[in-house]
Amino acid sequence: MAREGLHFNEKQIKIASKMIDKLRTSIDILYYFLEHKKDQTFVIVLISAKEIDLYDLLKNEKRETDMLFKINKEENLHAVLCQKTKVEGGYRFAERVLRKILLSGGHSIYTVALEVRTTKYAIKEVILRLTDAYFQARSENKEGEIVFRSLY
C-alpha cells in the first residue's frame, strides 16, 4: 500500500480515533510534566502481536509509572506510555518485550516507539504520527523490528 502523508483506510481511521480517545488525557498530563518539571521526556510504545496474551505480558513488563492501554482487540494492539523515559530506555523496554513475545510463541510483531521531548506538537498530532509510523511499519513488513522516532 502506497503511503502519502496521513492517508488511512477506514479500519486505520477507527484505530487512530480510538487511540486519540484513549491516550489524549494521559498525554496531556505528561505534557504538563514536560512543561513544568525538568527531564520529563516520555516514550509511547505501540505494539501488536499474534498468538499471545500481549496485555498480560505488557502488564508484567511495564514499570509502576508506565500506563498500559488496550487499543484494538482484533489487532491485539496496545500502547504503553513510559514516563521519564528517553530513547535508550524506550528502546530497551521494546527490545525486552519483543524477546519475551518470541520466547512465548508470539509472532507477527510490529513495534513502534515515539520519544516525546517537547510540547510544541498538538497531542492529536503526536498520536497520529505514532499511528502513521505503525501503519507504515506494517505496510513495509517491518515485522520483528522496532521502529523508533523522536519529536523534539
Side-chain angles (χ1 to χ4, degrees), residues 1-20 46 124-137 139:
M1 158 174 53
R3 304 216 33 97
E4 292 180 28
L6 292 176
H7 296 271
F8 298 155
N9 64 36
E10 178 184 6
K11 183 177 181 181
Q12 292 169 331
I13 288 173
K14 288 178 178 178
I15 289 171
S17 177
K18 188 178 281 189
M19 284 183 58
I20 290 167
L46 190 58
K124 186 187 300 182
E125 184 176 357
V126 170
I127 295 168
L128 290 175
R129 283 176 180 244
L130 175 70
T131 307
D132 188 48
Y134 173 78
F135 293 135
Q136 187 172 357
S139 72

Side-chain angles (χ1 to χ4, degrees), residues 40-93:
Q40 294 292 320
T41 61
F42 63 94
V43 171
I44 310 167
V45 178
L46 190 58
I47 185 167
S48 65
K50 293 185 178 176
E51 304 298 326
I52 188 165
D53 187 344
L54 188 55
Y55 184 83
D56 279 348
L57 186 144
L58 291 168
K59 188 170 63 172
N60 291 327
E61 291 300 316
K62 74 176 198 66
R63 300 172 301 182
E64 185 75 22
T65 56
D66 297 337
M67 295 162 276
L68 174 60
F69 299 87
K70 276 186 187 179
I71 302 298
N72 183 281
K73 185 178 180 178
E74 179 185 317
E75 295 289 324
N76 200 19
L77 179 63
H78 299 78
V80 182
L81 297 181
C82 304
Q83 294 185 69
K84 287 190 80 170
T85 304
K86 294 184 179 174
V87 172
E88 305 83 27
Y91 193 85
R92 281 195 305 268
F93 172 74

